[in-house]
Amino acid sequence: MSVVELKNVTKRFGSLTAVQQASFSLEKGKILSLLGPSGCGKTTTLRMIAGFEEPTEGDILIAGQSMLGKRPYERNVGLLFQDYALFPHLNVEQNIAYGLKRRRYARSEIGNRVSEMLNLVQLSGFENRRPLQLSGGQQQRVALARALATSPEVVLLDEPLSALDAKLRQELRIELKQILSTVDATTIIVTHDQEEAMSLGDTLVVMSEGRIAQIGAPTEVYRNPRTKFVAEFIGRSNWLSGKLGQPNGEGLCEFTLAGNLSISVPDPEIHAESYEVCIRPERIRTNSNFGHQAGCINQLRGAVRNVAHLGADIHLVAELDNGCMVTVSEQFTGQALDHCGNTISLAFRPSDCIVVAASS
Ligand SMILES: Nc1ncnc2c1ncn2[C@@H]1O[C@H](COP(=O)(O)OP(=O)(O)OP(=O)(O)O)[C@@H](O)[C@H]1O
Ligand SMILES: [Mg+2]
């Protein structure tokens, strides 16, 4: 059974529709990442689940029960909000105990629970510190401990790592995943960082302007984005415009690019006035590494315009004969490279081509 379920939830603020017909469900112990640009309705969705906003339409169920009309404290939900603040005048122990006290846990139980939580987030010994005496990462861990302390049925985390710098963010991301799996928390995590969303979530929900643009396993959404918005929002992409031909009976269509170049792409089985093709930079092989790759029947010639070494990876930009720029990302093998000005062959499989309706 789903622990959380949204059924056609809409939220309007006056004439603005912040969330429109959102539906998803989440099983026990799973993590759902809610990803989307600023203002797309992520926080509003969480606030409705927590009970700080009522849906204008639709229903929200927790453990099979409708939450309509239920106050926040009547819902078994743990929160870490975007604008979260630890109580500055309370020490770490008191911050974590806050929800337990409000729920009238016995004093001894509060003590046990707090030390359990401190252990979990590896902050034992920090009981008496005030928030200002902690680093950003430590504060974040206290906030997480506070959200988890009451063993909530649903844990809602709104941009839990956004205040941290890139390196700490990555470390804490791994830690966060471990902590959530240790307590088997059913979690909805909001982020506008696609890497975070993909690495943390069992399910990924991509939102755009209040609507769910796509929902699925992260790798599935990455491989098969249904729209240009989703493809662009998740990962880097090369876009080729052209004209889609008829299916050839084997599930492929010819896609004719400017300059009379042509590639084979999967039959999109969607109807649109015009189409665009997305190819992920890491799916393209160059001279040096495609020879032995089967199925790379698409081959385009390109002139190398830029080469950037990024540690383990190399990014190069090549200009096709029709003037279109294509980015390729490959693993650095330590071998001689394609230099600027060289002509190279870019090879990729039809299955590496994602065909979507062109945005108007
Ligand atoms: N209480 C409110 N009254 C009126 N409009 C609101 C209210 N809360 C949110 N909105 C509007 O609803 C839309 C969605 O806001 P929301 O906070 O859910 O976005 P978000 O996806 O969390 O964005 P961000 O990534 O910037 O945090 C925005 O246009 C916002 O201005
Ligand atoms: Mg928000």
Side-chain angles (χ1 to χ4, degrees):
M1 192 184 67
S2 311
V3 174
V4 193
E5 188 173 2
L6 268 68
K7 289 184 171 170
N8 296 317
V9 170
T10 294
K11 178 68 188 180
R12 289 189 206 97
F13 295 108
S15 62
L16 180 122
T17 306
V19 176
Q20 195 161 2
Q21 295 278 314
S23 296
F24 60 75
S25 64
L26 188 57
E27 306 280 309
K28 167 115 189 79
K30 298 286 182 199
I31 302 178
L32 181 144
S33 304
L34 207 52
L35 177 70
S38 186
C40 72
K42 304 182 295 296
T43 296
T44 305
T45 303
L46 284 202
R47 288 178 58 82
M48 286 191 284
I49 299 169
F52 295 106
E53 302 284 358
E54 276 289 292
T56 315
E57 287 164 18
D59 198 358
I60 294 172
L61 296 105
I62 295 180
Q65 275 206 315
S66 171
M67 290 293 120
L68 294 184
K70 288 228 191 297
R71 312 289 307 148
Y73 58 82
E74 295 173 304
R75 307 181 185 203
N76 194 358
V77 163
L79 300 169
L80 192 167
F81 269 125
Q82 189 169 17
D83 51 358
Y84 88 92
L86 294 170
F87 304 114
H89 57 288
L90 299 183
N91 65 22
V92 166
E93 183 177 6
Q94 293 160 334
N95 263 286
I96 297 174
Y98 184 80
L100 299 165
K101 280 192 179 145
R102 285 202 62 183
R103 285 184 164 76
R104 306 192 183 288
Y105 279 56
R107 182 177 294 215
S108 61
E109 202 178 340
I110 293 179
N112 289 340
R113 197 73 193 132
V114 169
S115 41
E116 213 178 299
M117 287 297 116
L118 283 167
N119 218 355
L120 184 70
V121 299
Q122 297 182 23
L123 282 176
S124 300
F126 286 71
E127 287 80 350
N128 296 320
R129 298 252 198 123
R130 295 282 170 93
L132 280 176
Q133 298 168 315
L134 299 171
S135 73
Q138 289 165 340
Q139 289 185 43
Q140 218 85 10
R141 298 215 293 264
V142 175
L144 183 64
R146 188 174 63 178
L148 296 175
T150 56
S151 306
E153 218 139 27
V154 188
V155 178
L156 305 175
L157 307 175
D158 196 351
E159 302 272 2
L161 308 175
S162 62
L164 308 173
D165 65 55
K167 186 163 175 291
L168 191 57
R169 216 181 150 119
Q170 235 170 20
E171 286 169 13
L172 232 79
R173 188 201 295 168
I174 295 165
E175 210 174 298
L176 177 62
K177 186 150 189 169
Q178 274 164 357
I179 292 171
L180 292 174
S181 98
T182 304
V183 297
D184 202 23
T186 309
T187 309
I188 301 178
I189 178 162
V190 160
T191 171
H192 55 247
D193 179 327
Q194 54 113 356
E195 251 186 48
E196 210 161 279
M198 293 198 49
S199 65
L200 286 170
D202 300 297
T203 302
L204 179 62
V205 172
V206 183
M207 287 185 75
S208 164
E209 297 178 350
R211 290 176 180 275
I212 293 180
Q214 194 163 345
I215 180 162
T219 47
E220 169 62 21
V221 178
Y222 182 79
R223 288 203 195 113
N224 295 311
R226 279 206 301 263
T227 60
K228 185 167 184 178
F229 172 83
V230 174
E232 283 199 311
F233 204 73
I234 301 181
R236 287 167 305 124
S237 26
N238 291 297
W239 290 99
L240 301 174
S241 334
K243 203 170 168 350
L244 190 74
Q246 292 303 315
N248 70 354
E250 290 166 33
L252 298 180
C253 301
E254 187 177 16
F255 191 68
T256 313
L257 315 175
N260 233 4
L261 302 177
S262 147
I263 57 175
S264 288
V265 301
D267 177 0
E269 293 170 2
I270 46 164
H271 292 282
E273 265 176 34
S274 56
Y275 298 86
E276 280 180 89
V277 169
C278 164
I279 307 161
R280 303 293 191 188
E282 72 277 9
R283 304 305 300 173
I284 301 175
R285 288 89 171 166
T286 63
N287 286 349
S288 43
N289 66 1
F290 84 82
H292 50 278
Q293 301 263 8
C296 286
I297 60 169
N298 289 319
Q299 299 196 8
L300 298 171
R301 198 167 56 175
V304 178
R305 293 291 177 235
N306 192 14
V307 181
H309 286 253
L310 302 171
D313 295 324
I314 299 174
H315 289 185
L316 63 86
V317 178
E319 183 176 351
L320 303 181
D321 288 346
N322 65 9
C324 199
M325 294 293 183
V326 170
T327 303
V328 182
S329 130
E330 338 183 77
Q331 277 189 340
F332 180 48
T333 55
Q335 286 179 351
L337 292 165
D338 301 307
H339 296 288
C340 281
N342 283 3
T343 299
I344 57 170
S345 178
L346 307 172
F348 47 95
R349 298 186 173 101
S351 58
D352 294 327
C353 301
I354 302 159
V355 186
V356 299
S359 46
S360 43

